[in-house]
Amino acid sequence: MTHFKYNRVLVALIILGLMAALTIGWQRHKVEENNTTVELIMDYEDAVELAQIEGVPVQSVLAQLKSAGITSLAVYETTLEKLNKSGKITSVQGAQILHQYRTGTLSDPSWRALAEAGSIKSEDIYITGQDASVFSEVKNDLERRLSADRVSVLNIGGRQVLDIKANFEKVVKWNLGLPTDEMKEVAANGFYIVARPTNYTKVTAQDVQAVFDRLAVTENVSSVMFVGEEVLGYPDNLAITAEKFKQQKLTLAMIEHPLQLQFLKQEGLTQLAAAINYQAARVYVIPKDEQPKLKTDEAVQRWVLTDQERNIRMNLMRKYDKPEPGKTLIETNIDYISSVNNELIAKGFTIGRAGTYQPYFPSPLLLAIICIGATAAGVLYLTLLKPFSAKYQYIIVAVISVLLAVPLLKGSGMLVRQAVALVSAIIFPVLTMTWMLDRWRSIVPYKSVSLMRIIGAAITSLTIAVFLSLVGGFYVAATLGDVRYFLEMEIFRGVKLTFVGPLILITLTFLVRYDMFKSEDGGSHSIWDQAVKILNYPVQLKSLLILAVTAVAAWVFIGRSGHTAGVPVPAFELKMRAFFEQVMYARPRGKEFMIGHPAFFLAVMAVYRKWPIALFYVLVVVATIAQGSLVETFAHLRTPVFMSFIRALDGLAMGIIVGIIAAIGAHILYYISFALGRGPAKHE
């Protein structure tokens, strides 16, 4: 039996890299702990609509919302359509005025005189208003969007009237700037304002200035959450927008994509975030078509989990449109908001203006040390496949480490960091299981060993394996641990590879150590020889069936990873997830405690009970799934590193429980099959 040596120098370099990773991890943890303030937001228009539906004053609804926990109201740009409905502005098409004139219903003599003189154009739009401030804002914004040549002011009966040359059906829906009267009302009722402006076509510096001039009417503006596919000032005036953000100390709100991967597409968003030194917060909103399907208690749990696990610090809460039994619509929404507020406070969050992360970037020197450790881990794995001279091991480590470290020490190296994180996520689970295989190969198998001893050995080995794999998790968490990843402006690349890579590499490891076609270790069993035997193996119907089952399992396994999976999640699993989310600090991953860790227990049993080598191989591969999943958890950089660590421990605890059950079940099945096998023949 071939014995594989673990180069102590390489192991020492891995430990050195772990020390650097833990240092960064601790710094990251402190940064994450200092950002726990969540802003609860509702649209101002939703509040007004609630008041109108229930027939109560808007002020009363606003007071109840504030008492329930809403800290901020989102104010959108106004439109002629909204202003018409509110009665603040009247806008009509020239054709309508002429129609009234010709039917004798146009009573105002000034308008009649204009119609008789032929001054009313059927294709023009005519705008009047009682509120001079609102009228002035509409005029100014229309001039910006249409040019002054297409906006003229008429004096009709002592009143100013705008004559607009544009298409009526389109113009009434145009955004016409943030309404200062609404922002003042929101501020007067004690709320922060979340401004929701849009960009201008061919935006100019003056356009950007005009938006921030309106925001300056009150000091209660906390953040800006852009509407549309561009941020204000994109593409040529982003620098001005950034400067205004800094001057008015505003937070950039970044809306998470419905697939929970980065953000809704807005050109210039990440560039603006970087320009304002990352004073930005991630926003979540329950999709409009999904919220009606959720009971309010389910929605409450969704908010708590989102804020805990995805660094969301701005909750944009839509109102429920149907009252719950025994409640009014207002009571339904107030109770919903209060529950979210109370649950977040119970989880240690503070409710107020959204917190932002300090612009944290790890030390280049520490990152370089991690690169050395990751390189040493990769070389160590190669030596465990086919040993080669220590001299060449050190040369390879030195050359690759220098190539990786130089860009980092120069202050760049994003691609290097991604590569190191990917290698760490793949290699460390494999090294863990490789070391376990080498330990198991030294065990003398015998069937008389007690079940309790097997379970004890499995618990000890699994605990060691989890902590060894955690080394890879800390490498990943530290390598990509900066504010850009916390905000998900940058993401870990290669999620699918982290699931598939370890399975391929552990297969190579296994084939080097075991002969799949013999019951005992020994003899010639090179990877190439075994691959040829597998390819030449006769194909039977049962083999095709096993292959089909394996393909489906692989489709589910890989398809369920990432954010674009089309593989549905069974209802029972959703209920189980909800249960663990409520009773545990961090919900363990099903791939670990339901699949991988129980397989680890059965692999230990296979060693002691000398089960068929093919079955042992399958169990080892499945056990590797859990170790890879454990490390990949840390690649979710938006999740606090402490939560990822606790998730791994929770998975270990639950995995031990399920593993013990699996071992007992296998033990019972063994004795049942043994008893049946010893029974007398029917015709004996």
Side-chain angles (χ1 to χ4, degrees):
M1 181 173 66
T2 304
H3 292 280
F4 294 87
K5 294 183 179 180
Y6 289 73
N7 187 317
R8 293 184 179 181
V9 174
L10 298 183
V11 172
L13 292 177
I14 293 172
I15 294 173
L16 183 63
L18 175 62
M19 295 298 103
L22 290 174
T23 301
I24 293 175
W26 176 253
Q27 294 170 351
R28 173 182 164 181
H29 173 60
K30 299 304 292 184
V31 170
E32 290 168 336
E33 273 200 329
N34 289 332
N35 181 17
T36 57
T37 303
V38 176
E39 192 166 351
L40 300 185
I41 308 162
M42 179 174 275
D43 289 343
Y44 174 74
E45 293 174 1
D46 275 1
V48 173
E49 187 175 331
L50 274 176
Q52 292 171 343
I53 292 172
E54 295 289 299
V56 298
V58 174
Q59 305 298 327
S60 173
V61 173
L62 293 180
Q64 292 181 68
L65 291 174
K66 185 169 180 60
S67 178
I70 292 294
T71 57
S72 311
L73 294 177
V75 177
Y76 293 75
E77 293 194 44
T78 192
T79 65
L80 290 178
E81 187 174 57
K82 293 178 185 178
L83 293 171
N84 276 340
K85 289 180 180 179
S86 67
K88 296 176 182 178
I89 288 290
T90 300
S91 55
V92 295
Q93 196 168 10
Q96 182 179 347
I97 298 172
L98 292 175
H99 175 72
Q100 290 178 314
Y101 169 72
R102 290 163 186 160
T103 58
T105 57
L106 186 62
S107 58
D108 189 298
S110 300
W111 284 100
R112 288 181 62 83
L114 285 173
E116 290 169 355
S119 300
I120 302 297
K121 307 297 182 184
S122 62
E123 66 275 13
D124 285 6
I125 305 167
Y126 296 87
I127 300 173
T128 63
Q130 297 297 325
D131 189 312
S133 176
V134 174
F135 183 84
S136 176
E137 289 178 358
V138 169
K139 173 179 175 293
N140 290 339
D141 210 80
L142 283 172
E143 287 176 342
R144 291 192 178 282
R145 296 179 189 274
L146 292 171
S147 80
D149 295 338
R150 298 173 63 184
V151 180
S152 56
V153 181
L154 307 177
N155 191 308
I156 302 177
R159 291 182 301 169
Q160 284 192 334
V161 177
L162 296 180
D163 181 352
I164 310 298
K165 299 186 181 301
N167 181 276
F168 180 79
E169 285 75 16
K170 294 185 180 296
V171 170
V172 292
K173 298 182 181 297
W174 279 3
N175 291 309
L176 297 179
L178 296 163
T180 57
D181 58 333
E182 290 185 9
M183 291 193 290
K184 288 178 180 178
E185 182 178 3
V186 169
N189 283 276
F191 295 95
Y192 288 113
I193 299 161
V194 177
R196 304 218 58 188
T198 57
N199 198 22
Y200 288 80
T201 302
K202 294 185 178 181
V203 61
T204 66
Q206 291 74 24
D207 295 332
V208 175
Q209 181 64 50
V211 172
F212 285 96
D213 284 345
R214 290 200 189 181
L215 293 179
V217 299
T218 174
E219 296 180 352
N220 282 44
V221 181
S222 64
S223 58
V224 178
M225 188 186 305
F226 291 108
V227 175
E229 296 184 355
E230 301 172 349
V231 304
L232 179 66
Y234 181 85
D236 299 324
N237 291 286
L238 275 180
I240 300 173
T241 303
E243 186 60 31
K244 294 299 179 182
F245 262 82
K246 294 176 183 177
Q247 289 176 3
Q248 298 186 20
K249 298 180 180 179
L250 300 173
T251 299
L252 175 62
M254 309 171 79
I255 306 172
E256 185 181 69
H257 194 280
L259 291 177
Q260 299 178 13
L261 183 66
Q262 295 193 292
F263 315 104
L264 287 178
K265 184 180 179 181
Q266 288 185 322
E267 300 291 347
L269 184 69
T270 55
Q271 297 97 309
L272 180 57
I276 61 173
N277 209 21
Y278 306 99
Q279 295 306 293
R282 286 166 46 77
V283 182
Y284 179 65
V285 54
I286 297 177
K288 187 175 294 185
D289 59 342
E290 185 178 355
Q291 180 164 314
K293 303 174 187 177
L294 295 175
K295 296 179 180 179
T296 54
D297 57 341
E298 294 173 333
V300 170
Q301 186 60 29
R302 171 81 64 86
W303 287 115
V304 174
L305 183 66
T306 296
D307 295 339
Q308 282 186 305
E309 293 198 353
R310 301 209 300 274
N311 282 341
I312 298 295
R313 292 299 176 263
M314 299 181 77
N315 294 349
L316 181 54
M317 305 179 69
R318 290 194 174 103
K319 64 179 176 60
Y320 271 89
D321 292 321
K322 291 184 179 180
E324 291 185 330
K327 297 180 182 179
T328 66
L329 185 59
I330 290 180
E331 288 171 342
T332 297
N333 282 280
I334 294 301
D335 289 348
Y336 165 50
I337 294 164
S338 297
S339 297
V340 174
N341 178 76
N342 295 337
E343 285 294 320
L344 287 175
I345 291 174
K347 294 295 184 180
F349 289 100
T350 302
I351 306 302
R353 179 172 176 173
T356 57
Y357 288 102
Q358 69 181 75
Y360 172 76
F361 295 92
S363 161
L365 178 58
L366 292 176
L367 290 175
I369 294 173
I370 293 173
C371 287
I372 296 172
T375 303
V379 172
L380 179 62
Y381 172 72
L382 293 177
T383 68
L384 298 176
L385 279 183
K386 187 172 182 59
F388 56 93
S389 167
K391 172 184 175 182
Y392 292 110
Q393 295 176 32
Y394 302 145
I395 291 174
I396 293 173
V397 170
V399 171
I400 296 178
S401 296
V402 169
L403 292 176
L404 295 177
V406 169
L408 293 173
L409 294 174
K410 288 183 176 181
S412 56
M414 182 64 77
L415 183 60
V416 168
R417 293 170 65 183
Q418 287 278 354
V420 170
L422 180 60
V423 169
S424 299
I426 294 174
I427 286 295
F428 280 99
V430 177
L431 281 177
T432 295
M433 292 305 298
T434 299
W435 186 71
M436 284 296 163
L437 285 176
D438 288 337
R439 287 184 68 228
W440 291 338
R441 290 170 73 223
S442 65
I443 295 175
V444 178
Y446 52 96
K447 296 186 178 181
S448 61
V449 65
S450 69
L451 177 63
M452 292 304 298
R453 179 174 176 181
I454 292 174
I455 290 176
I459 292 174
T460 302
S461 296
L462 179 59
T463 302
I464 294 171
V466 165
F467 278 91
L468 288 176
S469 293
L470 276 172
V471 174
F474 289 129
Y475 266 62
V476 174
T479 304
L480 303 180
D482 70 46
V483 66
R484 292 169 294 185
Y485 289 93
F486 305 160
L487 293 173
E488 216 168 47
M489 294 167 57
E490 296 284 352
I491 59 173
F492 172 72
R493 312 287 177 178
V495 172
K496 306 294 184 183
L497 281 176
T498 63
F499 283 99
V500 178
L503 307 188
I504 295 173
L505 295 185
I506 198 61
T507 296
L508 297 178
T509 300
F510 193 92
L511 293 177
V512 167
R513 284 156 174 76
Y514 295 91
D515 187 347
M516 293 285 288
F517 298 91
K518 292 184 179 181
S519 59
E520 298 181 0
D521 182 58
S524 175
H525 53 262
S526 69
I527 296 176
W528 177 253
D529 291 340
Q530 293 188 73
V532 171
K533 289 181 180 180
I534 291 172
L535 291 174
N536 291 330
Y537 201 79
V539 177
Q540 300 176 341
L541 184 60
K542 64 180 181 181
S543 301
L544 293 176
L545 181 60
I546 293 172
L547 182 62
V549 172
T550 303
V552 171
W555 174 69
V556 173
F557 173 59
I558 299 173
R560 287 275 297 275
S561 64
H563 298 271
T564 57
V567 182
V569 181
F572 82 90
E573 185 176 345
L574 292 175
K575 293 180 180 179
M576 183 179 64
R577 288 181 180 183
F579 172 75
F580 284 123
E581 286 163 1
Q582 292 177 355
V583 302
M584 305 186 84
Y585 178 79
R587 171 179 60 83
R589 305 184 84 178
K591 288 189 288 289
E592 296 170 29
F593 79 90
M594 290 184 64
I595 300 174
H597 293 341
F600 191 101
F601 269 71
L602 296 180
V604 174
M605 180 172 281
V607 171
Y608 281 100
R609 295 285 168 82
K610 203 175 182 181
W611 287 357
I613 195 71
L615 176 58
F616 179 50
Y617 162 72
V618 171
L619 292 172
V620 168
V621 170
V622 176
T624 305
I625 290 175
Q627 303 306 315
S629 171
L630 185 156
V631 176
E632 193 270 337
T633 295
F634 288 83
H636 295 200
L637 283 309
R638 64 191 182 188
T639 301
V641 65
F642 181 72
M643 174 167 277
S644 295
F645 174 65
I646 297 300
R647 192 188 305 281
L649 299 186
D650 285 347
L652 171 62
M654 288 302 304
I656 288 174
I657 294 173
V658 178
I660 291 173
I661 295 172
I664 293 173
H667 186 73
I668 293 172
L669 288 175
Y670 169 76
Y671 276 105
I672 290 175
S673 64
F674 180 75
L676 292 175
R678 292 187 60 184
K682 184 175 181 180
H683 302 291
E684 185 176 26

